[in-house]
Amino acid sequence: ITSSRVVNPFTVALDFSEVLDEISALDKNNYYINPARLPDSVYWGQSHNKVFLHFANSLPASVPFELTVSGIKDLSGNSITSHTSILEYYRAPMMGELVLTEILFDPYVNHDDFIEVYNAGSVSISLDSLLVSNPLNGQKQWINDPTPLHPGAYRAYTPNADQLRHTYATTAAANIRVNALPAFNNDKG
């Protein structure tokens, strides 16, 4: 197994270094999540060295879990005896967990805007695929950040992190990420 990741609350993707034998690769009994759980179905990815495990019930959110794979064979008959990965799925924020603590527009001439968010919840959350939009000018921008935001933590997003750090003399520990943002209005909105 070259990589394993949680794609969404119901799906795990596994990449293998070899093309797999179809019978063993698509046998759901060869995949086991601790505690006692098998996928409801297994299907191919874009090639026969990638499989997706689908679960009818959501995977546990913000709690690490073990996925053990065994009995999978390549086309030469070589078999994985047992391989365990530790995975974790971070859910999207629920109402009241993600707080927009600051929006800075037009801070200085030729300087970039930024937003700051705060996790007011009790579990780590995913901000990947968060949509920031300005309906007054029709602009939208997705936040593409796979790193979870932990409870009580702040994070800033701006197109130019170095400029933000320099202008506001932030500490090296400040959690600032580069991401495009929609243009914010100077009034209204």
Side-chain angles (χ1 to χ4, degrees), residues 92-134:
M94 296 172 73
M95 182 73 74
E97 287 182 325
L98 184 64
V99 178
L100 186 60
T101 53
E102 190 163 0
I103 301 174
L104 189 65
F105 58 90
D106 278 350
Y108 297 100
V109 175
N110 296 322
H111 277 62
D112 289 305
D113 300 344
F114 76 86
I115 62 170
E116 181 184 69
V117 295
Y118 171 72
N119 181 352
S122 59
V123 298
S124 297
I125 54 177
S126 171
L127 301 183
D128 201 23
S129 300
L130 176 69
L131 181 63
V132 179
S133 66
N134 181 345

Side-chain angles (χ1 to χ4, degrees), residues 79-107:
S79 180
I80 293 178
T81 53
S82 182
H83 176 87
T84 299
S85 302
I86 305 296
L87 299 173
E88 191 163 2
Y89 161 67
Y90 298 98
R91 65 170 172 73
M94 296 172 73
M95 182 73 74
E97 287 182 325
L98 184 64
V99 178
L100 186 60
T101 53
E102 190 163 0
I103 301 174
L104 189 65
F105 58 90
D106 278 350

Side-chain angles (χ1 to χ4, degrees), residues 9-11 37-41 53-59:
F10 304 97
T11 310
R37 193 163 173 196
L38 297 174
D40 292 283
S41 63
L53 312 178
H54 177 76
F55 298 87
N57 296 317
S58 177
L59 294 163

